[in-house]
């Protein structure tokens, strides 16, 4: 059973990192460049995609916590701290930043014209922090098991 937890512990950060790159840094900016995609369509797609991404991220984070605690008798402070930081970053994005962005997109979909949002830039900044933490976690985890 330890091999399963070890596999999750090692592979989950890479999987999570791939989803963040694919959605946040490829799909999100490119969809608005596609022919025929209006702001309303782009916002609608973005809301669905980011809701799904955040759900997957939560599942992966829980799996990482369980795998780390199950695979290692005493996980290193570094791994625990990185998982705690990822938990905080994701919680801020899901509970703190996404709700105002959702309210803003509701207003735009209702026909209001609004200036650019700083909350969106804050979300992107947290995505960059998440990428750094995931790379760091992957390196720490793999090197700990070599």
């Amino acid at each position: 059973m330890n091999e399963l937890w070890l596999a999750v512990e090692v592979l989950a950060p890479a999987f999570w990192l791939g989803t963040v790159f694919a959605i946040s840094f490829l799909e999100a900016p490119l969809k608005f460049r596609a022919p025929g995609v209006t702001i309303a369509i782009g916002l609608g797609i973005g809301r669905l995609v980011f809701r799904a991404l955040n759900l997957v991220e939560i599942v992966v984070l829980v799996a990482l916590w369980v795998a780390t605690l199950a695979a290692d008798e005493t996980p290193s402070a570094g791994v625990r701290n990185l998982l705690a930081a990822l938990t905080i970053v994701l919680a801020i994005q899901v509970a703190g930043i996404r709700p105002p962005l959702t309210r803003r997109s509701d207003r735009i979909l209702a026909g209001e014209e609004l200036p650019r949002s700083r909350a969106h830039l804050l979300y992107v900044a947290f995505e960059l922090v998440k990428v750094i933490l995931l790379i760091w976690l992957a390196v720490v985890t793999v090197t700990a098991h070599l």
Side-chain angles (χ1 to χ4, degrees):
M1 193 62 127
N2 271 351
E3 290 88 16
L4 173 64
W5 295 125
L6 179 61
V8 171
E9 201 178 9
V10 169
L11 295 174
F15 171 78
W16 188 355
L17 184 63
T19 62
V20 170
F21 271 120
I23 299 301
S24 296
F25 299 111
L26 288 175
E27 183 275 340
L30 290 176
K31 77 173 157 262
F32 289 103
R33 293 184 181 173
V37 174
T38 64
I39 295 293
I41 291 171
L43 287 174
I45 292 168
R47 288 167 68 157
L48 288 172
V49 169
F50 275 91
R51 188 177 309 129
L53 172 64
N54 290 154
L55 180 60
V56 168
E57 290 179 300
I58 291 166
V59 169
V60 172
L61 179 62
V62 169
L64 272 167
W65 273 111
V66 169
T68 298
L69 296 173
D72 299 329
E73 291 188 18
T74 306
S76 73
V79 169
R80 286 192 320 267
N81 291 340
L82 287 166
L83 286 175
L86 283 163
T87 302
I88 292 165
V89 166
L90 187 57
I92 290 170
Q93 284 183 301
V94 170
I97 303 171
R98 253 197 53 222
L101 286 174
T102 299
R103 287 189 297 275
R104 183 178 189 282
S105 66
D106 286 342
R107 291 173 61 192
I108 292 171
L109 291 171
E112 279 188 60
E113 289 194 31
L114 300 172
R116 284 189 143 311
S117 168
R118 291 185 192 263
H120 182 261
L121 296 175
L122 186 60
Y123 193 92
V124 172
F126 273 83
E127 287 292 80
L128 291 170
V129 170
K130 194 186 318 173
V131 164
I132 292 165
L133 291 170
L134 285 167
I135 292 169
W136 192 357
L137 178 62
V139 169
V140 167
T141 303
V142 169
T143 56
H145 295 291
L146 288 179

